[in-house]
Structures are given as C-alpha cells and as structure tokens.
Amino acid sequence: MNKLALPRGPVWLASDVHLGPATPATQEAFLGFLEAAADEAAALLLPGDLFDAWIGDDVIRAAPPWLAQALRGLQAAAARVPLYLGRGNRDFLMGAELAQAVGAQLLPEPALLQTAYGQVLLSHGDEYCTDDQAYQQFRAMVRNPQWQAEFLSRNIPERLQLAQQARGESMAANQSKSMEIMDVNPDAITQAFRNSGVHVMVHGHTHRPGRHVLDIDGRRCERWVLPDWDCDHAQPPRGGWLVIDEDGLQIFDLEVA
Ligand code: LP5
Ligand code: MN
C-alpha cells in the first residue's frame, strides 16, 4: 500500500469540484477555498474530479481563460501549502505535466495517509462502485495505457468532442440506474478495510457526503464521503471539504454569499 507521510497540522481534502468552462461560480468558490486552505492547512489533497473532464495535460500549453485562472489558483496555493492531486473518473488523464506546472504531487491510488489522527485510506471512490458493471467496463477501458495512448494521439478538438459525447452518454445512462447501483458496494468497502488494516477511509465520487460507522471483523471503522461542488446549477449552491486533525475528521460546508 502506498504510504503518504504528511506535514504535521490539519489536512484539508476536497473532491468532485468538476471545474470547467460552464461553471464560473463554482470556480470562484473554489479559488476562495484554495486561499483559505493555503492560510490554514498543513497539506491540501484533491482526490479526484477536480475537473469536469480532463482530456490530457497538453491542454495547459494553450489554456483557455477559465483553465489558466484555475491553474494560477492551484499554483498560488501550492506555493504556500503542499498540494496533492488525485485522479478521478473524469480526470483520470491528469499527469506529471499538469502536476509539475502547478507545483503539485500526484496522489498514489489508493493512498495510505499518515495523519495526526492515524492512518487514513484515501481514493476517489469509483473503484468501490462494483455493482455498476457498465461503469466498471468503461473504467477498465479508459485506464488501459494503450487506450490512453490512442486517445492522447488525437487532436484536442477531437478529444474535446469525445469527452463531451462521453459526458452526455454518462448522464443519460445515470438516469436509468438506481441509487444503490451508483453507490459503493458494501463488500468492496469491507475488503478495502481488511486489506489496508485502517479504521478510517475517505473517498468522494458518489456525491453523498457523510460519515458511515461500520463493524469490520469486530473493528469499529469509519467511511467518510466528500461532497461534490455546484454553485452554478444547484439550488442552493453546494460544496465543501473535510479536515483531518488530531481530534478526528470533520466536514465543512461551503458558505456561499
Ligand atoms: O461522471 P458521473 O458522475 O456523471 O458518472 C460516473 C460514471 N461515468 C463516467 C463517465 C464520465 O463522466 C465521462 C467523462 C470522462 C471525460 C474524460 C475525458 C476522456 C474522454 C473519454 C472518451 C471515451 O465516469 C458513471 C457512473 C457514475 O459515475 C456513478 O458511479 O454510473 O458511469 C457511466 O455512466 C458508464 C456508462 O454506464 C457507460 C459508459 C458511457 C460512456 C461511453 C463513452 C463513449 C464515448 C464515445 C467514444 C467513441
Ligand atoms: Mn467521480
């Protein structure tokens, strides 16, 4: 398991921000969050779906204005607090070029965080949605290095179009899936607790923030789920983050003016 030693002090985590050209209010809220994290956190971890769709790191070489602004915000934060980026199901193509450009490090999958509260297992969370067979097939396809090389060999407009098509098909498919199918599978979670030996796990992806207390082989375990962000189309606007310090874990809701 990939251990990640973190600096002493509060660890801040946020996922599923889904930044993109069509969500300026979410981006503004996230940029404010980055400043607050730089002021107060000892480390900032973003475990996946920071972007609505990431089609390859080469987009940063001629970044559109919304992306250039997001990158400046990440870079400014990373200059003040160690920043870690993890891949999600929409930005699994994030790589070394992006990380280096903003001064971040890529998170291992999963990561075993060494925090003031003990070891915490961190991942995006989509790998635990094993009942969603259509998604797991899609995941296996796009995580294949050969598929990725072929996709990245296409030009940017073509990749953007494919990403848009995939988002459309995903949204349509999700309408006919049950809430249970799109949530994590209890056996996959049990297995993750057993394999890692930890008592605490954090993930995002399901957009169902909360804390679940479980009994795993007589051990009291906690699964914490990060919230998603939407300050453009959701009413009321939503978003939030999680803090780990020596007292434990706590979810904070975004306060939108
Ligand atoms: O993302 P979200 O929360 O809406 O839904 C996810 C699962 N969907 C996905 C697909 C992504 O949203 C697509 C965007 C990726 C952009 C990256 C750029 C690379 C381009 C890739 C081009 C192929 O992850 C969804 C889960 C849900 O979480 C809950 O867990 O259910 O899974 C699906 O929707 C999978 C579908 O059931 C089947 C696959 C649809 C996509 C088909 C792609 C075909 C595109 C055309 C290629 C020629
Ligand atoms: Mn996700």
Side-chain angles (χ1 to χ4, degrees), residues 89-90 132 134-135 138 151 167 169-170 173-174 177 205:
N89 57 296
R90 302 204 200 163
D132 193 343
Y135 170 64
F138 172 80
F151 182 78
R167 287 292 306 120
E169 290 192 28
S170 175
N174 290 4
K177 289 181 193 172
H205 182 65

Side-chain angles (χ1 to χ4, degrees), residues 51-99:
F51 295 103
D52 191 48
W54 191 255
I55 59 163
D57 287 0
D58 54 338
V59 293
I60 68 176
R61 296 176 207 162
W66 74 269
L67 179 56
Q69 185 193 40
L71 296 174
R72 280 195 301 274
L74 290 165
Q75 199 171 27
R80 298 175 56 207
V81 58
L83 172 67
Y84 296 86
L85 297 177
R87 300 176 179 95
N89 57 296
R90 302 204 200 163
D91 51 13
F92 53 85
L93 286 172
M94 289 195 307
E97 183 175 343
L98 167 67

Side-chain angles (χ1 to χ4, degrees), residues 7-214:
R8 292 172 76 85
V11 178
W12 285 35
L13 302 104
S15 73
D16 301 281
V17 187
H18 302 141
L19 296 176
T23 50
T26 307
Q27 176 143 329
E28 193 186 324
F30 180 68
L31 292 172
F33 162 77
L34 285 177
E35 285 184 25
D39 285 343
E40 294 181 37
L44 173 58
L45 280 59
L46 305 173
D49 288 2
L50 170 61
F51 295 103
D52 191 48
W54 191 255
I55 59 163
D57 287 0
D58 54 338
V59 293
I60 68 176
R61 296 176 207 162
W66 74 269
L67 179 56
Q69 185 193 40
L71 296 174
R72 280 195 301 274
L74 290 165
Q75 199 171 27
R80 298 175 56 207
V81 58
L83 172 67
Y84 296 86
L85 297 177
R87 300 176 179 95
N89 57 296
R90 302 204 200 163
D91 51 13
F92 53 85
L93 286 172
M94 289 195 307
E97 183 175 343
L98 167 67
Q100 199 175 11
V102 299
Q105 294 183 59
L106 290 171
L107 280 172
E109 297 169 40
L112 199 53
L113 310 179
Q114 318 288 305
T115 76
Y117 192 60
Q119 296 200 331
V120 174
L121 185 67
L122 177 69
S123 68
H124 182 62
D126 54 314
E127 69 275 38
Y128 304 131
C129 299
T130 52
D131 292 333
D132 193 343
Q133 289 175 9
Y135 170 64
Q136 292 301 332
Q137 273 175 17
F138 172 80
R139 186 178 198 271
M141 175 178 84
V142 300
R143 291 283 183 142
N144 179 313
Q146 258 176 320
W147 183 92
Q148 293 192 357
E150 195 278 324
F151 182 78
L152 292 170
S153 73
R154 295 168 184 254
N155 63 38
I156 288 176
E158 206 178 344
R159 277 183 268 158
L160 275 175
Q161 207 244 313
L162 286 169
Q164 212 171 6
Q165 196 179 333
R167 287 292 306 120
E169 290 192 28
S170 175
M171 284 189 275
N174 290 4
Q175 302 243 313
S176 58
K177 289 181 193 172
S178 70
M179 290 295 275
E180 286 74 33
I181 280 187
M182 288 193 289
D183 204 349
V184 297
N185 172 287
D187 293 337
I189 296 296
T190 299
Q191 215 46 55
F193 274 117
R194 280 191 186 137
N195 290 345
S196 60
V198 299
H199 292 86
V200 183
M201 133 180 348
V202 174
H203 67 79
H205 182 65
T206 62
H207 308 174
R208 295 176 220 192
R211 165 179 170 261
H212 304 265
V213 178
L214 304 161

